[in-house]
Amino acid sequence: MSSAKRGRATNTAQTAGPEHATPNAPPHAGRAEHAVKVELTAVLVAVAGGEPRVMTLDEGRALPSGPFELAHRSLQAGLRDWVEQQTHHPLGYVEQLYTFADKDRTGFAGPDRSGGESEARTISISYLGLTREREPSEGGWRSWYDYFPWEDHRAGAPAVIGKVIAPRLHEWAQAEKGPKRAERLERARVTFALDGHAWNDELALQRYELLYEAGLVAESCRSGAKPGEVLPGEALAGRAMFADHRRILATGIARLRAKIKYRPVVFELMPPTFTLLQLQRCVEALAGRAVHKQNFRRLVEQQELVEETGATTSEAVGRPAKLFRFRHGVVAERAVAGTKVPLTRT
Amino acid sequence: MSSAKRGRATNTAQTAGPEHATPNAPPHAGRAEHAVKVELTAVLVAVAGGEPRVMTLDEGRALPSGPFELAHRSLQAGLRDWVEQQTHHPLGYVEQLYTFADKDRTGFAGPDRSGGESEARTISISYLGLTREREPSEGGWRSWYDYFPWEDHRAGAPAVIGKVIAPRLHEWAQAEKGPKRAERLERARVTFALDGHAWNDELALQRYELLYEAGLVAESCRSGAKPGEVLPGEALAGRAMFADHRRILATGIARLRAKIKYRPVVFELMPPTFTLLQLQRCVEALAGRAVHKQNFRRLVEQQELVEETGATTSEAVGRPAKLFRFRHGVVAERAVAGTKVPLTRT
DNA sequence: GGATATATGCTCAATGTGAGTATAGTTATG
DNA sequence: CATAACTATACTCACATTGAGCATATATCC
């Protein structure tokens, strides 16, 4: 066996053959490959002013992104390059979200959608990044509830769900019949907590996808809108984004909401010292729901994730609060173990 | 603005310009892109004979995989094509795992690693698939514990951990000093449950990565082995695989072990009817640890995921067991809610 | 000096969970 | 056919977790 036949990268062998007995030959070696474009996209999150913020470009219509290039050492390195170049904001904690390649979601054909002749495939690899805002109002940061107004349940369920979303999803379900109708109704009930179902903050992506399918967000009518579907009312839709960036944002929100419940990642979003209420507000901003104050403290303290600095603060009215900092040793341990969050039942 | 400028796919615009004010222009439009190869890889899992099996090719050295092609409608569709073509096994439940692109992990240069001049980038998108084995001993299926012998704790911690892994990881840690040594020791303790730490079955990937870094698996010495690292002893290593397929497999195992604890996916692996013990054995095979029998039944029943068929079976000795089937309605609901698994403390 | 607001400590009930005991219904074997 | 061996299934118990609420402490504001 020639050494040329086992190049370093997968699939470099150019000839098909019966050499399957070689220890390391990929089973499909020799087939022709097709190149596609690879796009890196970042959901960069910070919390400031009690709001969960996401870094955007182009007047809030796009997430930081750029093509994966040969010069990049790795996917993450490529992403860091793009984000730092586009936003001048350094990237801290980063984790991969999802890789999308749906044909009809990447495009953004409007009423005048141009022909699809040069149908190049684009694969979009998305990442979640966590950081702190540096200057008070650095450009580009927007509350993610601008894009998903129905996701903020900190002061109870938003009116838009009962007044607009529920009835229109109901119409959408009625457009089907039999088991398909029942299925649509059930999806709507579970994801939007209708008819007594409990609100599940981690279903942010499923909710967006449901609205997309039902034709209730602006992105629906770009290319995938089926005839007969309800068309979007701007009041409902929340802010739209370029291509499938809002879907990627929803994926990031869902992932982060799930993650804060079992891994101590809130730290990445907090200043060096903070009060327990600030920490709670941060969690509430992300989860989009209220947290039981006393139980939150109990949890944080019993997990030994924080320690007192000795100092106190009295920036607002009321009894001054102790300042805490994270215990980096414990945080590192727990990065692999568990952390939880106590919610309020109502 | 010309319609040519807003093609359907992301980044088709070829000229840079000041048109940032257009509603949908990607912020980096106009930059040159670089093509890379995209590889789809499947971790296809079944449970048979009380063992968790994974579908392999090439004498167990590779996972089913193939390049993403223009003809594929989507990433999943491409994956299904490849798997069905290579294994003749239909694919049921599928979920995306991770997208890898590390330069020094995709290759497999042995002692005679060929030059890296044509350094094409390969991105590898991996998926987890769940099915049932069809015929008794269809080719290609192997126990995943052949690849990760240290992961099977159903009959207690495997001897290899105490006898081989722990001492060699200790040596590896001693090669560093100061905080780095402490860090290595702590990683070893937490992931391999040394010094009284509890075994966490979901850390399969972290364990493999640790062994890889420590030079204790065969894959370590292909390209990334640093001088001064311990070299692999074959007894320890478990079965090796082509390129980074074993890492992908570890990712799949970790994901599946986490998933069965909160989502009813075991169903995909079970025959239409089964006894509760069979269901338990399936979960145990996946989790790699023993489950408390009575509590397992309590959990399964209280979650109303199964219903009696009315029939009983008496294939082995002992009191005949009732046969159950999954309640597909509830399963569909819970696909979004929760399911849990009671473990045994020891 | 209230009124008001936040901080913080403590109790309680309901539920979840790991574990053990007891009993029932089979097959294998002498 | 009695008994051993084994699996199925029911029930109990101790303890940890968790959602909720009450009580008290210490500030600011008017």
Side-chain angles (χ1 to χ4, degrees), chain B residues 153-230:
Chain B
H153 286 232
R154 283 175 291 181
V160 68
I161 292 185
K163 284 194 181 149
V164 187
I165 294 181
R168 304 197 67 169
L169 285 177
H170 203 259
E171 284 171 41
W172 173 71
Q174 297 306 322
E176 286 279 359
K177 46 194 160 207
K180 281 204 170 186
R181 176 187 291 180
E183 199 183 295
R184 284 185 171 187
L185 281 172
E186 185 62 15
R187 277 179 71 195
R189 271 197 292 263
V190 168
T191 55
F192 282 97
L194 309 177
D195 304 342
H197 281 257
W199 176 257
N200 183 342
D201 53 74
E202 295 176 28
L203 301 182
L205 178 61
Q206 285 91 328
R207 280 186 283 271
Y208 176 73
E209 291 287 290
L210 189 62
L211 295 179
Y212 181 96
E213 280 180 53
L216 296 173
V217 292
E219 285 91 339
S220 306
C221 61
R222 283 190 190 146
S223 67
K226 287 152 204 156
E229 301 293 7
V230 185

Side-chain angles (χ1 to χ4, degrees), chain B residues 74-230:
Chain B
S74 67
L75 292 173
Q76 267 202 25
L79 184 89
R80 284 176 193 276
D81 279 5
W82 279 115
V83 170
E84 286 168 15
Q85 180 182 319
Q86 290 178 4
T87 70
H88 309 290
H89 197 99
L91 217 44
Y93 174 92
V94 166
E95 87 173 52
Q96 196 181 94
L97 279 175
Y98 203 81
T99 301
F100 295 100
D102 292 2
K103 244 176 195 166
D104 52 356
R105 290 289 286 269
T106 52
F108 47 88
D112 67 342
R113 54 195 284 193
S114 52
E117 53 282 345
S118 78
E119 183 83 72
R121 295 307 287 277
T122 299
I123 284 179
S124 157
I125 307 178
S126 57
Y127 281 81
L128 171 66
L130 305 180
T131 30
R132 291 177 268 282
E133 281 189 35
R134 286 178 309 175
E135 292 134 47
S137 68
E138 211 176 6
W141 291 110
R142 292 178 183 254
S143 169
W144 73 35
Y145 296 122
D146 291 353
Y147 301 93
F148 306 98
W150 56 85
E151 291 290 342
D152 188 359
H153 286 232
R154 283 175 291 181
V160 68
I161 292 185
K163 284 194 181 149
V164 187
I165 294 181
R168 304 197 67 169
L169 285 177
H170 203 259
E171 284 171 41
W172 173 71
Q174 297 306 322
E176 286 279 359
K177 46 194 160 207
K180 281 204 170 186
R181 176 187 291 180
E183 199 183 295
R184 284 185 171 187
L185 281 172
E186 185 62 15
R187 277 179 71 195
R189 271 197 292 263
V190 168
T191 55
F192 282 97
L194 309 177
D195 304 342
H197 281 257
W199 176 257
N200 183 342
D201 53 74
E202 295 176 28
L203 301 182
L205 178 61
Q206 285 91 328
R207 280 186 283 271
Y208 176 73
E209 291 287 290
L210 189 62
L211 295 179
Y212 181 96
E213 280 180 53
L216 296 173
V217 292
E219 285 91 339
S220 306
C221 61
R222 283 190 190 146
S223 67
K226 287 152 204 156
E229 301 293 7
V230 185

